[in-house]
Amino acid sequence: MNNIIKWLFVFGSIASIVLSSTVWAASEKQSEPKQPEAAAAAQTNGSLKAGRKGDKVTLTWTLPEGNWRRVEIIRNDKPDVKNRKRVKVCRRGDIAYVDTISDTGKQYWYWLKLFDKDNAITNIGPVKAEE
């Protein structure tokens, strides 16, 4: 009887872990709207460069063809989209920005996050800021 209770506890624990990781993965997938095929393909036509000198990172970019209603600069201290932060909402026609970083001992990666008229998102990056 004790063995049955132990096995039920083990299987219940495993099921709980699997279910909680499935819910977490589903919530991560819903954090940004799905990109249409055209927007994903446009991603390769733009460029982003990040040059670093001390606590200043100079970003320069070209946008892919499209009618972008909003452009954001996004930063993270690893090349992962999880926990990245918006640094700047750009004005129409901007092609450069200088970011001041607080920790010069860390590496930083940047993205451009582009929104079209339908709110479809295209990301350019990540690009590592290097001296």
Side-chain angles (χ1 to χ4, degrees):
M1 187 67 159
N2 279 341
N3 283 339
I4 293 172
I5 293 172
K6 286 180 187 177
W7 281 110
L8 288 174
F9 178 75
V10 168
F11 285 126
S13 297
I14 291 171
S16 175
I17 291 169
V18 169
L19 287 173
S20 67
S21 65
T22 304
V23 168
W24 178 82
S27 68
E28 280 293 305
K29 290 178 185 175
Q30 295 171 1
S31 63
E32 290 187 7
K34 185 177 177 184
Q35 294 181 8
E37 293 297 322
Q43 178 175 341
T44 59
N45 297 331
S47 69
L48 174 63
K49 294 179 184 175
R52 179 174 172 176
K53 189 168 187 173
D55 68 342
K56 304 288 186 211
V57 176
T58 301
L59 301 162
T60 57
W61 61 86
T62 59
L63 298 179
E65 289 185 29
N67 187 12
W68 306 109
R69 81 172 173 78
R70 183 178 173 121
V71 177
E72 297 178 353
I73 297 172
I74 310 295
R75 175 180 64 207
N76 201 354
D77 59 0
K78 54 189 166 285
D80 186 1
V81 296
K82 187 176 179 183
N83 298 322
R84 60 189 188 162
K85 306 283 186 238
R86 181 176 62 204
V87 175
K88 170 91 172 142
V89 175
C90 300
R91 292 181 300 190
R92 194 176 293 262
D94 284 351
I95 57 169
Y97 176 73
V98 177
D99 186 30
T100 302
I101 54 176
S102 60
D103 186 348
T104 58
K106 282 187 178 181
Q107 293 294 318
Y108 290 95
W109 283 262
Y110 290 85
W111 291 257
L112 288 180
K113 188 172 182 180
L114 312 173
F115 297 82
D116 72 8
K117 62 180 176 58
D118 297 323
N119 256 359
I121 296 171
T122 297
N123 285 289
I124 298 175
V127 173
K128 185 178 178 182
E130 297 188 272
E131 294 200 44

